[in-house]
Amino acid sequence: MLSNIKPLGMALGPMLSMFGKAMRTILKQEGLPYTLEQLYVLYVVRECKETVVQQDLAEKLGKDKSFILRIVDSLEKEGLIRRIVDANDRRRNILEITYLGNQLMNRFFELELRFTQVLMKEIDQKEMETFYNVLTKIRQNLGDV
């Protein structure tokens, strides 16, 4: 075991806060009036391999159902996502990203990739591979908790 371990939350928390603040600034500069939470919901709907059911999204994201409902409502109003009533259970809404939603996500990924490149200055390929490997292991360990 490592003897110089420091609390992970204390190291990650401030960095994630700074990252979020910087991303919100970039979104504002680019004229994208969306929150990171809205973009994350779009990302999950777009990238999820199985059908995304609105009622299950809150649990999947670890968020309050009313919070997710407000986000889905706003995304639907903007034409970025659509609700489809499940033919087998009319109480369930299946979420699907629209063409506009995909266009927004493509633009967001371009912005985030450019920002990532700025953050990676003076970090070589080997260090980045190690960083992503460590993140993957931590994520796996969190799944065991």
Side-chain angles (χ1 to χ4, degrees):
M1 189 55 71
L2 299 173
S3 62
N4 61 349
I5 269 187
K6 297 176 183 166
L8 194 54
M10 295 300 146
L12 291 177
M15 183 188 65
L16 290 173
S17 177
M18 291 170 65
F19 183 87
K21 182 178 179 184
M23 283 305 305
R24 286 187 294 277
T25 299
I26 290 168
L27 290 171
K28 187 174 182 178
Q29 289 170 346
E30 292 293 322
L32 295 175
Y34 304 103
T35 66
L36 293 174
E37 291 85 3
Q38 287 172 310
L39 293 168
Y40 187 58
V41 167
L42 275 178
Y43 170 77
V44 168
V45 171
R46 177 167 133 160
E47 300 298 320
C48 197
K49 304 289 186 247
E50 68 266 2
T51 301
V52 178
V53 177
Q54 178 181 327
Q55 292 82 341
D56 300 337
L57 196 57
E59 185 177 323
K60 186 176 289 210
L61 299 179
K63 300 287 185 179
D64 182 71
K65 286 183 181 182
S66 61
F67 176 76
I68 295 298
L69 177 63
R70 285 192 302 275
I71 288 177
V72 169
D73 284 347
S74 69
L75 294 173
E76 185 177 43
K77 185 178 179 183
E78 293 283 326
L80 301 170
I81 208 168
R82 76 174 58 89
R83 288 181 175 109
I84 302 167
V85 176
D86 187 337
N88 298 322
D89 183 350
R90 299 196 52 77
R91 296 170 296 173
R92 290 173 24 124
N93 290 313
I94 297 168
L95 300 177
E96 188 177 88
I97 193 166
T98 65
Y99 176 80
L100 281 175
N102 273 309
Q103 295 299 103
L104 172 61
M105 289 310 295
N106 290 341
R107 184 162 177 219
F108 175 68
F109 285 148
E110 288 173 17
L111 294 172
E112 189 171 10
L113 186 56
R114 275 192 270 147
F115 182 51
T116 298
Q117 290 169 340
V118 168
L119 296 178
M120 289 173 42
K121 71 180 177 195
E122 300 181 25
I123 300 173
D124 66 36
Q125 184 70 29
K126 179 97 171 101
E127 290 173 312
M128 284 310 299
E129 287 173 13
T130 300
F131 174 71
Y132 284 118
N133 286 336
V134 169
L135 283 180
T136 299
K137 288 179 182 179
I138 291 171
R139 192 172 28 247
Q140 289 169 345
N141 290 341
L142 279 169
D144 296 339
V145 175

